Amino acid sequence: MSYRASGGSIPWEMSLFRELTEGLPRQGPGSPETTLHALGLARGLPPRPQILDVGCGPGAQTIELARATGGRIVAVDIRQRFLDELTQRAGAAGVLPQVKTVNTSMLDMNFTDASFDLIWSEGAIYIAGFAAGLGAWRRFLKPGGWIAVSELTWLVPDPPAEAVAFWARSYPGMGSIERNCRIVAEAGYVDPDGFVLPAQDWHNYYGPGEMRVAELREKYAGDREVLATLDEVQREYDLFRAYSDAYGYVFYVMRKPGA
């Protein structure tokens, strides 16, 4: 990807990405109901569990987890702006004492082994890779601890060619439920469970996103390069509406075997 200057030293794609994402309620499909549904599949958590939220973004799910569990949460993201938003939201929700934010990459986490009862990651494990993330993060779980991640997944064996072509460029590692379940087993987890996120969870993400795209179209009305990028963002939204039966996010919930 080539970069051009925008206002001096900030690459224009990075600047546009910030404008597209910052201040939105979510950085991926989800809802409070879905977070709580997945949490309910992690059976036998201790009172006030120790939780690691990987790729927390602005923290909508972090706050739900804090409220539901009463636990202590370490929320990790590489973008300080998201962590600042989470801090503000957690303060407003009355759960700030339960939340510690850490600015680091999920690829560089160095927490103490066996220190968390639950690892959580909504719509972010793709950055590490599904198999790589499950493998690398396992050591941070206590014996018997749970991990819950949502992952973009093919739902049918022969998805439409247009969707395949788009996601081959955007997320070539995207797999099927069957393949991901094999990865879960190969990574040494047990008691797997999960579910497909409802379509409404996508609208919770895409709705505000489309409004932001429309605002930026007006702002950059004379900039063909930016408008082309916005067209590609809009295409993702339109593609899901056309092929929501072929792919979606799936929550995978699993346990590290006990000692």
Side-chain angles (χ1 to χ4, degrees):
M1 180 178 292
S2 61
Y3 292 120
R4 65 173 181 175
S6 175
S9 60
I10 301 175
W12 79 273
E13 285 95 342
M14 185 182 299
S15 178
L16 181 62
F17 179 73
R18 289 173 178 169
E19 290 190 78
L20 277 165
T21 59
E22 290 180 352
L24 296 181
R26 289 187 169 274
Q27 297 302 310
S31 67
E33 294 79 12
T34 290
T35 295
L36 295 177
H37 183 183
L39 179 63
L41 300 179
R43 301 175 299 278
L45 287 173
R48 305 187 185 281
Q50 301 293 313
I51 302 171
L52 175 63
D53 187 358
V54 182
C56 63
Q61 74 290 332
T62 317
I63 292 168
E64 293 300 327
L65 292 171
R67 286 170 168 162
T69 67
R72 304 280 295 185
I73 303 176
V74 176
V76 170
D77 205 281
I78 201 168
R79 296 179 66 187
Q80 187 60 44
R81 174 64 183 269
F82 286 157
L83 298 177
D84 293 342
E85 289 181 31
L86 169 54
T87 297
Q88 293 173 357
R89 292 181 179 186
V95 297
L96 185 56
Q98 297 171 239
V99 178
K100 176 184 178 182
T101 61
V102 177
N103 187 327
T104 191
S105 167
M106 68 174 66
L107 306 178
D108 297 323
M109 295 188 299
N110 192 29
F111 300 108
T112 302
D113 288 0
S115 55
F116 295 100
D117 302 294
L118 174 64
I119 295 177
W120 201 268
S121 186
E122 291 200 26
I125 194 172
Y126 76 92
I127 297 169
F130 188 73
L134 291 181
W137 304 346
R138 189 176 184 274
R139 70 183 182 91
F140 302 132
L141 277 176
K142 297 177 184 179
W146 290 85
I147 180 168
V149 302
S150 64
E151 167 76 340
L152 192 63
T153 302
W154 294 115
L155 305 179
V156 296
D158 296 305
E162 183 181 9
V164 171
F166 179 88
W167 289 111
R169 296 192 305 275
S170 301
Y171 185 26
M174 183 173 168
S176 65
I177 291 176
E178 292 76 15
R179 193 196 78 171
N180 288 343
C181 286
R182 288 196 299 271
I183 290 171
V184 167
E186 290 166 0
Y189 293 98
V190 297
D191 299 335
D193 208 338
F195 58 93
V196 179
L197 273 65
Q200 180 58 47
D201 281 13
W202 286 78
H203 302 322
N204 294 342
Y205 168 50
Y206 283 165
E210 284 186 303
M211 292 177 63
R212 181 65 58 81
V213 167
E215 293 169 0
L216 293 177
R217 283 190 191 282
E218 292 187 9
K219 179 177 179 179
Y220 294 105
D223 191 321
R224 293 182 180 179
E225 199 165 2
V226 171
L227 292 176
T229 300
L230 296 176
D231 286 343
E232 190 69 3
V233 174
Q234 183 64 49
R235 185 173 176 229
E236 179 184 333
Y237 303 158
D238 296 338
L239 197 72
F240 179 74
R241 291 191 179 94
Y243 302 120
S244 59
D245 59 338
Y247 67 91
Y249 267 89
V250 175
F251 240 117
Y252 299 88
V253 183
M254 67 211 81
R255 184 173 64 84
K256 179 180 179 178

